[in-house]
Amino acid sequence: MESPPLPADPLLASALLGRGDSFDERERIAGLNQKRDWEGLLRYADERQRRDPEGSDWGVVAAYAWVRRGDYPKATAALAGVIRRNPEDIGAWNLLGESQRQAGQPGQAVRTLERASAIGRTSFATFFLLGEAYRDSNRLDRAVTAYREAARLEPDFARAWFELGAAHVRLGERDEVPVILGRLEKLDPMLAAELKRRLEARPQRP
């Protein structure tokens, strides 16, 4: 039985980095996120957005809270507005794609994140999330390429190595896994142990 995918929550929070016009605002956002106070984060974003209707940051903050609450249609609507105003906001693109994937629309997420990857060519988060969308669309060969690019851009990002190895396991490409395991054992021994377990549980091709 295939193990469930690991959540991408830490990458979702990267969409909040640098949001807000002052140190105090950024601290407030970080504090509400740490407490997982999604209602408080929504209220704060709404309050600030009323003061600055054209500010895209608060739309992203609100959308992040909607995603964390599982209200994907509201998140998608908020992010669509942000992207119309600022089409190069890679954090908004990433969050939109992940919202679509979590809503059970991996094909739409792939299209969104492929567009994002053309904008954020150096964003490891974009390529990792694209790998997740490809995986959920059962396009594992494409997932391997995306995960590999995420790992190239951020070599210390253990999740990219893990998902790359897991995709190779599902494809039956066992020979690709030992090198990845060696890298992963240095970065995250627990993820390395899980990848090894999946490898051992997968029957070899005759």
Side-chain angles (χ1 to χ4, degrees), residues 37-100:
D37 183 358
W38 314 133
E39 290 293 339
L41 195 56
L42 276 170
R43 286 194 300 271
Y44 187 58
D46 184 59
E47 171 194 327
R48 288 298 189 270
Q49 195 156 36
R50 282 199 302 270
R51 297 181 183 181
D52 181 18
E54 296 302 313
S56 62
D57 280 356
W58 299 111
V60 175
V61 173
Y64 171 84
W66 288 125
V67 170
R68 297 308 298 263
R69 286 185 53 181
D71 197 331
Y72 304 116
K74 288 183 179 178
T76 298
L79 290 164
V82 169
I83 289 169
R84 277 196 302 272
R85 290 192 297 273
N86 184 7
E88 295 190 358
D89 188 330
I90 194 64
W93 281 104
N94 288 347
L95 196 55
L96 176 59
E98 182 62 7
S99 176
Q100 291 165 335

Side-chain angles (χ1 to χ4, degrees), residues 17-37:
L17 294 177
R19 306 289 175 181
D21 298 323
S22 68
F23 175 80
D24 287 344
E25 288 180 347
R26 290 190 285 274
E27 285 287 291
R28 181 74 181 279
I29 291 168
L32 290 166
N33 181 53
Q34 187 172 13
K35 290 190 294 185
R36 303 176 70 85
D37 183 358

